Amino acid sequence: MRLVSFLHPVALCWAVLTGATALAAEPSSGANPALRDGSSALAPAQPNRAHNPLIWADVPDIAIIRVGKTYYMSSTTMHMSPGLPIMKSTDLVNWRMASYAYETLGDNDALRLENGKNAYGEGSWASSLRYHNGVFHASTFSANTGRTHIYTTREPERGPWKEISFEPSLGDHSLFFDDDGRVYMVYGGGRIMLTEMKPDLSGIKPGGVNKVIVENVNGLFGADQGGLKGEGSQLFKANGRYYLFNIASPGSRWARTVTVHRADAIDGPYEGRIALDDRGIAQGGLIDTPEGKWYAYVFKDNAAVGRIPYLVPVAWKDGWPVLGENGKVPMTLDIPAGAQGVSGVSGIVASDEFDRQPGDPALPLAWQWNHNPKPHDWSLTKRPGYLSLTTSRVVPTLLEAPNTLTQRTFGPSSSATTRIDVSGMKDGDWAGLSAFQRQYGFVGVRMANGVRSVVMVSAETDKPEELASVPLSGNTVHLRVDCDFEPAPELARFSYSLDGKSWTPIGRPSRLKYTFPHFMGYRFGLFYYSTKTAGGRVDFDYYRVGQGAADRR
């Protein structure tokens, strides 16, 4: 098969996660940890081969393209800024951060965490990634802005990315450049639409194609309907045929299923079939290699760590793509592992000593702010070698705090440590290191009535509770959070140290739970906020990420 044109976004689906049933982890043997469905995360028979999951971290809604021998991948990070991350690989297995398509999606109260509003679980959703006539196109859509956004550049690692946006917000869309020069977006849920775009991508073309191409994706389940309506459209063209990928689920069981429809013309008629139904691993598209091999890229809801990517071999039979091995997703791949490691995260998370040399970027690409940052309230130059955070307004809890700086957690276990100077805190201030999601937990420092204390706080019941407090006589303290995602139950553990060597547990382990509206796996977060008087300051000396249980001292 010859790849002629390819695109992908993957839709975010609230219904799948709210309706899905979490599977308990089964015991694993040897050194191979078990995923929550009981399958091994590693490839025990061939340790030199790549394994699934590709990345044991929250990298959902992936879109992948190949340009020559290089692959590019985009993903969803919703309310984080910068957003629409672009990753790069030469082997489809080992990925590293390349850039972000935007610094901030928009400028309104929700995206700024102001006036009681927020963009949790919103921001920018599933992206489409394309390469056409020497230009990279990354597109997304947003309920916060009510618009469809398209970002373009010729150099995705250096930018700049230029933006075009228009109304309306086309949900779960895919951008598609056809061979005849016409441009389309495919979008919708359940009922899939094809809409022609203006040649300059500035909006929908007046008088262009605008029609339903699949009336009901879930019709493939026959009478067993009522589940997740087909969404997450991805369209590509191979050997003159058009192939449309979606996810859906039957009504009797909320299990992600890959569906595919094909047609000889872009506007149909389309015929369809179920392409993969295995452990809920679904929602993705197709990619080919320079050697002519084909794969499907998909992801799996994996509880509190988030939605994690898988790669599935594809064969062609009678003009249809056949996914997996005997209908199953293999855990070992026919690709050399390279430096993949257990979690596959080495290129998307990073320790940071906050030392900067002339010409260095302000922050490594692994970092993202929770919502739009307040530029005047953080600095790497006020105290060289430190991240300085200040406050300019009062908020009630961590969820409303601006300038929380985050990175992904990862499985099967991961840890983050930091050292913080709290000499500039004011009464009513809180600062520290969090396992961040709606039901967060953190270890940090609270200042009340002129007294500083090391505290552990848990919001696993949606109401923040201070579960432990230890007086702090000095100005500095080291903080640590360990997240264990396998085996169940998933927990965060908190500790502190006065010398960075001997660690003392504080409070109790906090249960980790993937919840709405955040719709995101847990993140490590450095934070500082004021509940009484703004204007204080704290300085973070370093941020170090590790394998969690594997490197506990």
Side-chain angles (χ1 to χ4, degrees):
M1 283 278 176
R2 177 177 60 90
L3 180 65
V4 179
S5 183
F6 178 79
L7 91 150
H8 164 69
V10 186
L12 292 167
C13 172
W14 294 73
V16 167
L17 286 167
T18 54
T21 301
L23 299 176
E26 297 176 0
S28 59
S29 60
N32 297 325
L35 293 172
R36 294 187 66 82
D37 57 10
S39 57
S40 172
L42 302 183
Q46 301 182 56
N48 61 324
R49 311 306 289 176
H51 60 76
N52 276 315
L54 289 182
I55 302 172
W56 200 335
D58 194 45
V59 186
D61 303 339
I62 49 178
I64 299 179
I65 59 172
R66 178 173 61 84
V67 180
K69 295 183 178 181
T70 303
Y71 304 93
Y72 295 88
M73 175 168 69
S74 64
S75 178
T76 291
T77 50
M78 291 176 290
H79 48 275
M80 296 292 172
S81 293
L84 216 173
I86 308 297
M87 289 149 275
K88 184 177 180 180
S89 175
T90 57
D91 61 6
L92 275 175
V93 173
N94 295 279
W95 295 89
R96 64 175 179 83
M97 290 295 303
S99 65
Y100 292 94
Y102 64 81
E103 288 297 317
T104 57
L105 177 68
D107 187 24
N108 55 44
D109 284 352
L111 292 169
R112 293 193 303 265
L113 272 177
E114 290 183 354
N115 297 319
K117 297 182 179 181
N118 66 71
Y120 286 118
E122 296 179 352
S124 65
W125 279 24
S127 61
S128 170
L129 188 61
R130 294 290 298 130
Y131 181 75
H132 179 68
N133 288 343
V135 178
F136 292 83
H137 300 73
S139 62
T140 186
F141 65 102
S142 173
N144 298 103
T145 65
R147 303 179 73 83
T148 300
H149 301 259
I150 302 175
Y151 303 90
T152 60
T153 186
R154 290 186 178 274
E155 299 185 74
E157 292 190 81
R158 298 197 313 180
W161 290 84
K162 299 178 181 179
E163 181 188 9
I164 299 171
S165 70
F166 59 86
E167 294 180 333
S169 175
L170 299 181
D172 284 12
H173 72 250
S174 288
L175 180 63
F176 188 83
F177 295 90
D178 210 351
D179 300 334
D180 60 5
R182 299 169 76 177
V183 191
Y184 303 88
M185 277 193 173
V186 181
Y187 67 97
R191 190 170 183 254
I192 307 302
M193 297 290 299
L194 175 73
T195 295
E196 190 170 359
M197 304 296 297
K198 295 178 181 178
D200 63 1
L201 304 178
S202 62
I204 295 172
K205 180 180 178 180
V209 174
N210 185 30
K211 64 176 291 187
V212 176
I213 55 173
V214 178
E215 183 63 43
N216 179 17
V217 174
N218 293 55
L220 295 175
F221 301 120
D224 191 13
Q225 298 188 36
L228 167 67
K229 293 183 178 180
E231 59 180 36
S233 293
Q234 304 153 63
L235 183 68
F236 70 94
K237 188 177 183 181
N239 282 359
R241 271 199 178 119
Y242 298 83
Y243 294 85
L244 173 66
F245 275 66
N246 294 97
I247 62 157
S249 70
S252 60
R253 57 187 180 87
W254 282 81
R256 282 186 190 270
T257 302
V258 179
T259 68
V260 61
H261 288 78
R262 71 180 187 183
D264 293 326
I266 193 169
D267 61 349
Y270 283 83
E271 58 178 331
R273 61 170 54 179
I274 294 171
L276 181 68
D277 184 2
D278 180 30
R279 292 170 287 158
I281 301 172
Q283 193 163 339
L286 291 173
I287 190 70
D288 66 341
T289 71
E291 295 75 28
K293 291 184 178 181
W294 287 79
Y295 297 91
Y297 51 89
V298 286
F299 68 81
K300 181 180 183 293
D301 302 306
N302 211 66
V305 78
R307 298 176 290 167
I308 59 180
Y310 283 69
L311 197 65
V312 183
V314 171
W316 289 88
K317 184 177 181 180
D318 299 327
W320 290 95
V322 179
L323 278 61
E325 297 175 355
N326 297 318
K328 302 296 182 182
V329 175
M331 302 310 291
T332 304
L333 297 167
D334 61 344
I335 304 174
Q340 185 185 19
V342 174
S343 301
V345 297
S346 61
I348 64 172
V349 302
S351 296
D352 194 346
E353 299 298 314
F354 300 121
D355 293 323
R356 297 293 182 268
Q357 300 299 319
D360 287 348
L363 291 170
L365 292 171
W367 289 114
Q368 287 178 287
W369 299 100
N370 177 31
H371 288 65
N372 291 1
K374 296 177 69 66
H376 298 296
D377 288 352
W378 70 276
S379 174
L380 292 166
T381 59
K382 285 183 178 179
R383 186 179 180 183
Y386 289 78
L387 168 69
S388 298
L389 297 181
T390 58
T391 61
S392 57
R393 60 185 171 94
V394 170
V395 298
T397 71
L398 175 59
L399 293 182
E400 292 81 23
N403 283 16
T404 296
L405 188 59
T406 78
Q407 288 195 32
R408 293 172 178 86
T409 61
F410 54 91
S413 63
S414 50
S415 69
T417 57
T418 190
R419 176 178 176 268
I420 185 173
D421 185 328
V422 296
S423 57
M425 291 180 74
K426 293 188 175 186
D427 250 33
D429 286 2
W430 301 72
L433 175 63
S434 175
F436 187 72
Q437 224 257 12
R438 190 188 83 190
Q439 295 183 349
Y440 60 83
F442 70 70
V443 57
V445 177
R446 170 180 55 83
M447 186 164 180
N449 301 317
V451 177
R452 291 189 291 264
S453 302
V454 180
V455 296
M456 182 264 160
V457 171
S458 174
E460 65 178 88
T461 62
D462 284 328
K463 181 180 179 181
E465 297 179 79
E466 183 180 307
L467 301 181
S469 176
V470 179
L472 178 65
S473 58
N475 290 330
T476 63
V477 64
H478 300 257
L479 308 171
R480 180 175 180 125
V481 177
D482 288 274
C483 290
D484 297 322
F485 298 103
E486 298 292 351
E490 297 171 286
L491 298 172
R493 308 174 192 273
F494 306 90
S495 54
Y496 70 96
S497 172
L498 298 180
D499 60 7
K501 298 178 181 178
S502 176
W503 294 90
T504 302
I506 185 171
R508 61 167 171 76
S510 181
R511 282 185 174 266
L512 303 177
K513 185 179 180 181
Y514 194 105
T515 61
F516 300 112
H518 283 214
F519 208 1
M520 182 176 287
Y522 274 81
R523 287 189 163 233
F524 294 120
L526 305 178
F527 69 88
Y528 177 45
Y529 65 94
S530 299
T531 63
K532 291 184 178 179
T533 305
R537 171 179 151 187
V538 297
D539 298 325
F540 291 90
D541 183 14
Y542 66 82
Y543 172 86
R544 295 169 189 161
V545 64
Q547 287 283 350
D551 69 351
R552 283 191 192 129
R553 293 182 289 273

